[in-house]
Amino acid sequence: MPELIAPTPRLRDSWLAAREEWGRGVHQAGGGLEEFDDVDTAAGFAAWTERLRRMSDESVPLAEGWVHATYWWIVERDAYLGAISLRHRLNDFLLRAGGHIGYGVRPSARGRGLATWALGAVLGHARARGIDRVLISCTVDNTASARVIERHGGVAEDERDSELGRIRRYWIDLAGGPPRG
């Protein structure tokens, strides 16, 4: 049974194995990994997971252009399967391209419904934070992600060129009841 947990150094080996599946330098949506993060050393990995956990603390000021966000890892029996994040608000970039929620599932764990399950869980967290409408985007060629979003009531607003490539933007209305899934 999968669960959502806060990022932890305890799962470093499993996370590194997942990174190898994706490929070094490949963007892992929802994971919060930045170019400046050192995940190859134990100390650097611990610092990165601590940074991700601190991102949700709204009493901690962030650098310009950043927004507070909560990160979770999708795990099963101590195996890292993916990540999902909820940005607490939208800045201009997130409104244009990124949205409130980002997620990714490691290649070997795809096709099991993990993204659908995780998105449903995080939509509940968004509602609890008072977010009535959630914006989620995916690249236009990511049909699996589009299906996940649509299963949860996502309504396509538009397709556009963005800093992330050609994307489709979806809105999910949370004001009308519990998320689907």
Side-chain angles (χ1 to χ4, degrees), residues 97-133:
H100 285 97
I101 296 174
Y103 55 85
V105 174
R106 72 189 286 176
S108 64
R110 293 177 184 161
R112 296 177 40 199
L114 292 168
T116 301
W117 169 81
L119 180 55
V122 171
L123 288 172
H125 288 282
R127 177 181 288 108
R129 294 193 66 79
I131 301 172
D132 292 333
R133 289 181 72 221

Side-chain angles (χ1 to χ4, degrees), residues 97-178:
H100 285 97
I101 296 174
Y103 55 85
V105 174
R106 72 189 286 176
S108 64
R110 293 177 184 161
R112 296 177 40 199
L114 292 168
T116 301
W117 169 81
L119 180 55
V122 171
L123 288 172
H125 288 282
R127 177 181 288 108
R129 294 193 66 79
I131 301 172
D132 292 333
R133 289 181 72 221
V134 172
L135 176 63
I136 307 176
S137 69
C138 65
T139 56
V140 294
D141 61 345
N142 191 342
T143 57
S145 188
R147 282 193 307 271
V148 167
I149 297 165
E150 290 166 359
R151 277 190 195 111
H152 285 286
V155 176
E157 179 178 75
D158 62 17
E159 287 185 13
R160 60 175 66 182
D161 292 319
S162 76
E163 298 92 329
L164 303 176
R166 183 91 178 145
I167 61 164
R168 184 173 297 128
R169 295 168 65 247
Y170 290 87
W171 288 95
I172 298 176
D173 181 8
L174 298 180

Side-chain angles (χ1 to χ4, degrees), residues 26-92:
V26 173
H27 175 69
Q28 298 175 29
L33 184 64
E34 300 295 334
E35 289 179 10
F36 56 79
D37 289 312
D38 165 24
V39 294
D40 291 313
T41 67
F45 193 87
W48 172 59
T49 58
E50 176 60 24
R51 180 180 67 77
L52 294 181
R53 290 190 303 274
R54 278 194 327 268
M55 292 287 292
S56 66
D57 184 350
E58 297 199 14
S59 70
V60 175
L62 299 177
E64 184 161 338
W66 291 80
V67 300
H68 288 94
T70 303
Y71 291 89
W72 294 273
W73 285 358
I74 306 165
V75 301
E76 192 171 56
R77 291 183 298 277
D78 282 343
Y80 172 89
L81 303 176
I84 188 164
S85 62
L86 170 64
R87 297 160 194 116
H88 300 179
R89 67 175 185 81
L90 299 178
N91 59 19
D92 289 341

